[in-house]
Amino acid sequence: MTTTHADYRLSQLDQLEAESIHIFREVAAEFEKPVLMFSGGKDSIVMLRLAEKAFYPAKIPFPVLQIDTGLDFPEVLETRDNWVGRLGVKLVVASIDDAIANGVVIDDGKTSRNRMQTATLLNAIEENGFTAAFGGGRRDEEKARAKERVYSHRDEFGQWDPKMQRPELWSLYNGRIHAGEHMRIFPISNWTELDIWDYIGREGIEIPDIYFSHQRRVFERDGMLMSETPLNPLREGETVEERTVRFRTCGDISLTGCVESTASTIPEIIAEISIAKLTERGATRGDDRFSEAAMEDRKKEGYF
């Protein structure tokens, strides 16, 4: 007589999802006032979907925070508003323009809006009393990301010391903090770009359409294709042409490049990035190209 048994092994995506949901629930139980940093890009949207699942059928028990550079893609802001409206979560917007007006950030005419996000973020965390902030960092995204653990301690100045990280044996997290300190939490730390796209496809998740192939007027700068926009004036010698492109990541429109691509569906995007030799940030984020340690230096200062 043949006996059968249920196969309780989870797929890779199911394991990643379960781990992320566990992290969201741990933080909600442990910290007094968490917040989810939400840009409207694919990683933060996946995090919001995971948070939705973690607390369903109840509402997500914390707000979402966007740092508004004033240079965001309109398509990204539209998608952000769609998600916030559908889930009924509170949206806190920390504007760099307001930070400049209030003297929190000094605009010297040289520093990019992307780099001004750090002080704006730290000010928003302090003003609102947030004790934990969920971020969408992945370990395959940039080498400095791989140095951080799921719980990342930040001191009273919002700074990160990679030499003072706490052990996370058996996925046990130490969230103890002193007054004025906070934690950055990375629920998708063990995900890759491919995992994100697999999950988006499986869950039917709404993302900005600029992630898919489209026609766009672009120009080349520093080896990247940049969007033609009044927010990013042409320099001498730069010429605009229309190409078939898509974005792998969405940030400051004046610093985020696109890649030539005909991938217009999720399976086509998965096939494309599975053979890509550059990470999304290394290929298309201008601020991450200033030096070998650009990302790590900014993270030590308090960046995402």
Side-chain angles (χ1 to χ4, degrees):
M1 182 176 178
T2 303
T3 59
T4 60
H5 66 276
D7 188 347
Y8 293 107
R9 289 175 297 181
L10 297 177
S11 69
Q12 179 187 355
L13 270 188
D14 286 334
Q15 289 183 48
L16 291 171
E17 180 189 68
E19 177 188 51
S20 299
I21 286 174
H22 166 70
I23 292 166
F24 273 112
R25 290 172 176 167
E26 282 288 301
V27 171
E30 185 175 4
F31 290 89
E32 183 180 354
K33 199 171 182 184
V35 67
L36 190 152
M37 294 188 285
F38 185 64
S39 67
K42 68 182 189 309
D43 293 337
S44 64
I45 286 175
V46 165
M47 281 206 306
L48 199 55
R49 172 61 174 157
L50 290 164
E52 179 186 12
K53 282 193 168 188
F55 304 105
Y56 184 82
K59 287 188 175 182
I60 296 173
F62 42 76
V64 297
L65 169 66
Q66 189 217 358
I67 307 302
D68 180 14
T69 65
L71 301 174
D72 296 305
F73 289 89
E75 299 92 337
V76 175
L77 296 179
E78 180 183 354
T79 305
R80 177 204 69 183
D81 292 341
N82 290 344
W83 273 90
V84 168
R86 182 178 70 80
L87 295 178
V89 294
K90 179 183 177 183
L91 171 64
V92 178
V93 177
S95 165
I96 288 180
D97 286 328
D98 290 345
I100 293 171
N102 295 330
V104 174
V105 175
I106 304 299
D107 187 1
D108 59 6
K110 299 177 183 178
T111 305
S112 73
R113 287 292 181 101
N114 202 40
R115 298 182 82 83
M116 292 181 192
Q117 286 181 300
T118 300
T120 308
L121 168 64
L122 294 177
N123 183 67
I125 289 174
E126 182 179 358
E127 278 194 341
N128 290 278
F130 296 131
T131 53
F134 294 102
R138 305 188 324 266
R139 288 180 182 163
D140 71 323
E141 189 179 10
E142 206 277 342
K143 58 188 177 183
R145 299 284 203 200
K147 291 186 177 183
E148 229 162 352
R149 299 201 172 103
V150 174
Y151 276 34
S152 176
H153 175 263
R154 303 301 171 104
D155 65 20
E156 63 271 25
F157 300 106
Q159 297 178 330
W160 168 60
D161 184 352
K163 299 185 183 70
M164 296 294 290
Q165 294 185 122
R166 300 170 180 181
E168 293 181 348
L169 304 175
W170 305 291
S171 297
L172 296 174
Y173 307 116
N174 180 357
R176 185 174 298 175
I177 56 175
H178 296 101
E181 300 176 342
H182 71 277
M183 283 284 184
R184 301 288 173 84
I185 313 291
F186 300 103
I188 59 171
S189 183
N190 290 323
W191 296 53
T192 67
E193 186 180 6
L194 276 173
D195 294 326
I196 293 292
W197 280 107
D198 281 337
Y199 195 72
I200 289 170
R202 190 185 84 173
E203 298 289 308
I205 293 173
E206 178 196 4
I207 58 173
D209 56 14
I210 59 174
Y211 281 110
F212 300 96
S213 176
H214 60 282
Q215 294 294 117
R216 182 175 289 260
R217 288 175 59 81
V218 297
F219 60 91
E220 189 167 340
R221 177 180 295 169
D222 299 329
M224 297 189 298
L225 293 177
M226 311 299 295
S227 298
E228 179 192 34
T229 168
L231 300 173
N232 200 15
L234 291 176
R235 299 173 184 170
E236 185 177 354
E238 294 176 338
T239 57
V240 176
E241 56 182 320
E242 190 165 287
R243 296 196 193 180
T244 304
V245 300
R246 74 174 192 88
F247 288 85
R248 289 179 67 185
T249 181
C250 297
D252 182 330
I253 198 170
S254 67
L255 287 169
T256 304
C258 49
V259 294
E260 288 197 87
S261 172
T262 58
S264 57
T265 65
I266 290 175
E268 289 173 349
I269 290 174
I270 290 172
E272 180 182 271
I273 63 175
S274 65
I275 58 173
K277 295 182 179 179
L278 284 175
T279 66
E280 58 195 273
R281 296 192 73 95
T284 62
R285 284 289 183 97
D287 263 10
D288 293 343
R289 295 172 144 205
F290 289 153
S291 74
E292 282 290 315
M295 170 66 82
E296 183 167 342
D297 291 341
R298 281 188 292 157
K299 285 181 74 63
K300 288 178 181 176
E301 294 166 3
Y303 185 69
F304 306 133

